[in-house]
Amino acid sequence: MPSLQDYRAALSELWELLRTILERLPMLMLMTFLFFGAIVALSVIGVVGFFLERRDWNRGQCRKCGCEWRYFDTDRQGGRGYRDDHGHYLWISCPLDKRHAVARLEVR
Ligand SMILES: [Zn+2]
């Protein structure tokens, strides 16, 4: 039969474990917060970037003069460069110009 001493030992071990968890809890919470915060921040940046690009792409027309965007280059990250007849240019990385890309391939 376990003695009172054994109960005390078990209880103090349990208490130690609880204290260790409690001591590390702020760090765990901080890391969780940072992790999800980073995911949310990246999502927001992605969504804002998409809408900004969509606004500038303007269904294939320059927002300043209404000329049609003409493809001229692709950068190393896969962004496509477009320009028009009036010296305006635009770089986009979202697949907003897919139809144009397909049309380009068909020409070749
Ligand atoms: Zn223009």
Side-chain angles (χ1 to χ4, degrees):
M1 200 181 150
S3 67
L4 195 67
Q5 209 75 27
D6 292 335
Y7 277 118
R8 272 191 189 156
L11 208 68
S12 89
E13 248 176 69
L14 200 71
W15 175 240
E16 276 302 313
L17 186 72
L18 207 71
R19 224 178 56 180
T20 313
I21 293 170
L22 282 173
E23 272 169 7
R24 289 178 186 172
L25 201 61
M27 189 53 96
L28 282 171
M29 280 170 71
L30 186 70
M31 280 167 73
T32 310
F33 180 76
L34 285 177
F35 179 71
F36 286 106
I39 289 174
V40 169
L42 286 175
S43 309
V44 168
I45 289 169
V47 168
V48 169
F50 172 77
F51 279 102
L52 285 177
E53 283 193 358
R54 198 177 73 158
R55 193 188 65 169
D56 286 342
W57 172 247
N58 194 28
R59 289 175 189 170
Q61 289 179 334
C62 175
R63 285 175 70 223
K64 288 163 190 152
C65 63
C67 292
E68 200 171 328
W69 290 120
R70 284 210 305 256
Y71 170 83
F72 71 93
D73 199 13
T74 299
D75 69 17
R76 265 184 248 168
Q77 282 88 41
R80 280 83 58 201
Y82 288 86
R83 65 178 164 208
D84 64 10
D85 298 329
H86 296 86
H88 304 128
Y89 60 91
L90 169 74
W91 286 95
I92 62 171
S93 50
C94 298
L96 296 159
D97 55 340
K98 213 172 176 182
R99 255 188 329 189
H100 279 241
V102 170
R104 253 183 5 248
L105 285 172
E106 280 168 357
V107 169
R108 284 173 195 167

